[in-house]
Amino acid sequence: MNKQLLHYKDKFKIYTANIILLIAIMSADDAFEKVIGRFGKYQSWVMFLIYIGRLPTDFQLTNVVFILPSVEYECTDDQVLNTTNYCPCTNPRYDTSNVVESVTTTWNLICNKTQLASFAQSTLQMGILAGSLIYGYLSDRYGRKVTTLTALITNVLFIIISGIVPELWMFLVCRFLIGTAVGGTMLCSYILMVELSGTSFRPYLTGLTEMAYVTASIIQPVIAYYVREWRYLQLVTSVPWLFVVLYYWLLPESPRWLLTMGKKEEAINVLTKIAKWNNRPTENIGAIIEKIEENSLNEDKQKHGSYLDLFKTTRLRIYTIVMALVWFCCGHTFFGINQYIGRLQGNFYFNVMLSGIFLLPGVVLNILSCLYLQRKVGVIASFLIAAISLTVFIFIPSNAYTTSLVFAVFGQMGAYMAFIQIYLYTSEVFPTVVRNSAMGFASMSARVGGFAAPFVVNVGVEWASITVFSTVALIAGFLCFLLPNTKDTVLLNTIQQTEQSERKVKT
């Protein structure tokens, strides 16, 4: 009799524990965080893999000032012997004090070919645009893991090929293909980390996921200082990682995506594996999955989203259009200033490295902003930093080199902070079923802005270029007032939830 009572008592304890857990889930909390923790050993391992694998990607984002610089030359044609920067010129003698050989000097992209240099700079952005669309859709359709892995491997291969091609058109094709892989890598790896982490850890992800870019920004000038020929620079910043990315089969699939696709057993297996790594209990995972399915997936039978779904409902349509405009402004300002810093007076390599170092406080400020400020407040403040700094830059005397560099770097830091936060903000605004498609569409808009940036930089009138960048940043800040607050809210899964939900805050 006593044994039977103890048996029922134990069963009651287990039942009570399950009920308490399910009640917690039915509140506004993130059920996935209850299973795998906010950010444990397993997520740290995945973050490390992504950090290492993303370095070739981020080298390509930061190397434009080294492989496609604005180059001084003396024209050695008979009629204008030794005239500096004379056009037209068929026999230029290039200044090799900074860069020994670049794409500009290899194919003589000067005079009437200057626009080709701008186009070569913009080709990467065109590729990122295409890659964001393609990989955004593929990731929502076929999963985060396979698309991330594909983007990482193809990126390294295309970089290697670009360093050995003999013709300009071949280089442009490779640059475009590199861009598609860069877009896919940035988009899919970020979404994967967001969906593997708990709601309460999302603010820290904005800084952690950008450490690869910051590292590349600081290391790239050092590498470029010693490797001053662009072909070798491409190879040095890609070949070592060809072996590293082969380990990416170890990446997990997103359990959120698996559940959204109706792959419950696979989701349970992934969650169980992560929970074991993180020393979390695994007994109630099945019950949690059942409750999540009941609360979300049954509301919307759609198994995967598409770009058309972003315009399917009123609220989602407004968010999509506003986010696209904000990303356009962000990409235009950031990539424009990033290229412009390479033209400032002073030591070429020091200027670029300093701009990279200043991204570190930007990352710290971003984390603090995400922890203590509403998303839109943090993004608006970042855009204001960029706009004000660039406006001041216009009025600084041309001989004040240090002051000009400081305000240019502050302008870049503000745009960079906005760029980091807008990734997190967008991933929180849109539901799981179309999250990657939304990120892809928004990122596409940023690439359009990035594509236009080199042409604005190459206008040749400094104040006009900087005025455009500062104005665009200001416009982006005002647009953010139209977006919802998403700080500490649970990631929504379906379009129906997005339309009906007043954002539930995690307490």
Side-chain angles (χ1 to χ4, degrees):
M1 184 70 175
N2 289 334
K3 288 183 179 180
Q4 195 172 14
L5 286 172
L6 288 172
H7 172 71
Y8 284 115
K9 185 177 180 181
D10 290 339
K11 288 188 69 175
F12 178 77
K13 285 181 179 178
I14 295 172
Y15 175 78
T16 304
N18 285 339
I19 291 296
I20 292 172
L21 183 59
L22 292 178
I23 289 173
I25 294 169
M26 292 175 66
S27 68
D29 282 359
D30 185 350
F32 286 96
E33 184 171 337
K34 289 189 171 294
V35 176
I36 61 179
R38 62 202 299 259
F39 198 86
K41 289 186 292 184
Y42 191 84
Q43 290 96 329
S44 299
W45 166 243
V46 174
M47 175 68 77
F48 174 75
L49 285 176
I50 290 176
Y51 169 80
I52 297 297
R54 262 196 57 171
L55 283 175
T57 293
D58 292 307
F59 281 138
Q60 293 306 301
L61 288 172
T62 59
N63 72 359
V64 65
V65 294
F66 302 110
I67 68 172
L68 277 158
S70 176
V71 182
E72 299 286 322
Y73 64 92
E74 290 183 355
C75 185
T76 60
D77 291 352
D78 291 336
Q79 64 275 23
V80 288
L81 190 61
N82 296 332
T83 303
T84 302
N85 297 339
Y86 182 84
C87 287
C89 181
T90 56
N91 297 293
R93 183 170 58 236
Y94 294 104
D95 177 11
T96 58
S97 58
N98 283 329
V99 180
V100 174
E101 183 185 5
S102 65
V103 173
T104 308
T105 61
T106 298
W107 288 296
N108 293 322
L109 303 183
I110 58 173
C111 298
N112 60 339
K113 293 183 179 180
T114 302
Q115 293 306 312
L116 282 176
S118 298
F119 183 73
Q121 293 172 346
S122 299
T123 304
L124 182 73
Q125 298 296 329
M126 293 172 61
I128 297 176
L129 184 155
S132 298
L133 288 173
I134 295 169
Y135 281 96
Y137 173 76
L138 293 177
S139 182
D140 280 338
R141 187 69 183 269
Y142 300 109
R144 310 327 192 193
K145 177 179 178 177
V146 66
T147 47
T148 302
L149 182 60
T150 302
L152 287 165
I153 293 175
T154 55
N155 182 49
V156 174
L157 291 175
F158 291 142
I159 294 171
I160 293 172
I161 296 172
S162 73
I164 60 178
V165 293
E167 300 291 339
L168 176 61
W169 70 268
M170 294 180 182
F171 172 78
L172 294 176
V173 171
C174 287
R175 194 72 172 160
F176 176 84
L177 294 174
I178 291 169
T180 61
V182 167
T185 299
M186 293 191 301
L187 182 67
C188 299
S189 63
Y190 180 78
I191 289 296
L192 180 61
M193 282 312 308
V194 168
E195 294 183 349
L196 283 174
S197 305
T199 301
S200 64
F201 197 79
R202 273 185 258 157
Y204 298 97
L205 285 178
T206 60
L208 290 175
T209 55
E210 285 300 312
M211 287 312 297
Y213 181 84
V214 175
T215 302
S217 299
I218 297 172
I219 293 177
Q220 177 93 300
V222 178
I223 297 174
Y225 181 82
Y226 293 101
V227 184
R228 300 199 179 195
E229 297 182 29
W230 73 273
R231 294 186 188 275
Y232 295 127
L233 184 61
Q234 288 288 80
L235 296 176
V236 167
T237 55
S238 61
V239 172
W241 279 266
L242 184 60
F243 304 99
V244 174
V245 296
L246 296 178
Y247 288 97
Y248 269 71
W249 63 272
L250 294 171
L251 285 173
E253 183 53 87
S254 164
R256 296 179 191 268
W257 178 84
L258 289 170
L259 191 57
T260 303
M261 296 298 107
K263 300 180 180 182
K264 183 172 73 173
E265 291 302 319
E266 293 180 48
I268 291 175
N269 291 337
V270 172
L271 288 170
T272 301
K273 179 180 179 180
I274 298 174
K276 287 180 177 178
W277 266 63
N278 292 343
N279 298 320
R280 306 279 297 184
T282 60
E283 295 80 9
N284 299 306
I285 292 178
I288 292 173
I289 294 296
E290 293 289 346
K291 182 54 64 175
I292 294 173
E293 284 188 314
E294 179 183 333
N295 287 344
S296 62
L297 292 181
N298 290 337
E299 297 177 6
D300 196 336
K301 300 300 181 183
Q302 183 181 5
K303 294 299 181 186
H304 57 81
S306 68
Y307 292 108
L308 292 178
D309 291 320
L310 295 174
F311 301 91
K312 186 177 181 180
T313 59
T314 302
R315 183 176 291 185
L316 209 59
R317 187 162 50 245
I318 293 171
Y319 292 166
T320 300
I321 293 171
V322 172
M323 276 296 187
L325 292 172
V326 171
W327 277 68
F328 171 88
C329 297
C330 197
H332 186 71
T333 302
F334 176 70
F335 288 109
I337 297 303
N338 189 45
Q339 294 177 35
Y340 198 85
I341 286 176
R343 299 190 173 197
L344 294 176
Q345 298 186 44
N347 187 289
F348 174 62
Y349 296 96
F350 175 78
N351 289 349
V352 177
M353 186 173 69
L354 186 65
S355 69
I357 292 172
F358 263 77
L359 297 180
L360 284 171
V363 170
V364 175
L365 289 173
N366 258 321
I367 293 175
L368 294 175
S369 172
C370 291
L371 284 172
Y372 301 111
L373 298 178
Q374 291 291 341
R375 298 288 184 256
K376 69 166 64 176
V377 174
V379 175
I380 291 170
S382 299
F383 278 123
L384 283 176
I385 290 173
I388 294 172
S389 298
L390 296 177
T391 302
V392 173
F393 177 88
I394 297 173
F395 299 98
I396 296 174
S398 58
N399 59 348
Y401 309 134
T402 303
T403 307
S404 297
L405 178 61
V406 168
F407 277 93
V409 167
F410 269 105
Q412 185 194 32
M413 184 181 73
Y416 179 68
M417 289 170 58
F419 224 146
I420 298 177
Q421 292 178 80
I422 207 66
Y423 263 94
L424 175 62
Y425 200 4
T426 305
S427 69
E428 291 178 338
V429 166
F430 293 93
T432 301
V433 74
V434 292
R435 185 170 295 121
N436 249 31
S437 295
M439 292 288 286
F441 186 78
S443 182
M444 176 197 71
S445 302
R447 306 316 150 191
V448 174
F451 174 84
F455 295 94
V456 176
V457 171
N458 292 330
V459 163
V461 182
E462 182 180 274
W463 68 266
S465 300
I466 301 301
T467 299
V468 170
F469 295 140
S470 61
T471 302
V472 165
L474 197 60
I475 292 172
F478 280 108
L479 286 172
C480 289
F481 283 106
L482 301 174
L483 297 171
N485 287 316
T486 59
K487 184 176 184 294
D488 294 330
T489 60
V490 178
L491 291 176
L492 302 179
N493 285 327
T494 67
I495 294 174
Q496 184 176 348
Q497 285 178 335
T498 302
E499 288 300 308
Q500 295 178 351
S501 173
E502 293 299 329
R503 289 281 170 168
K504 297 179 180 180
V505 178
K506 182 179 178 183
T507 57

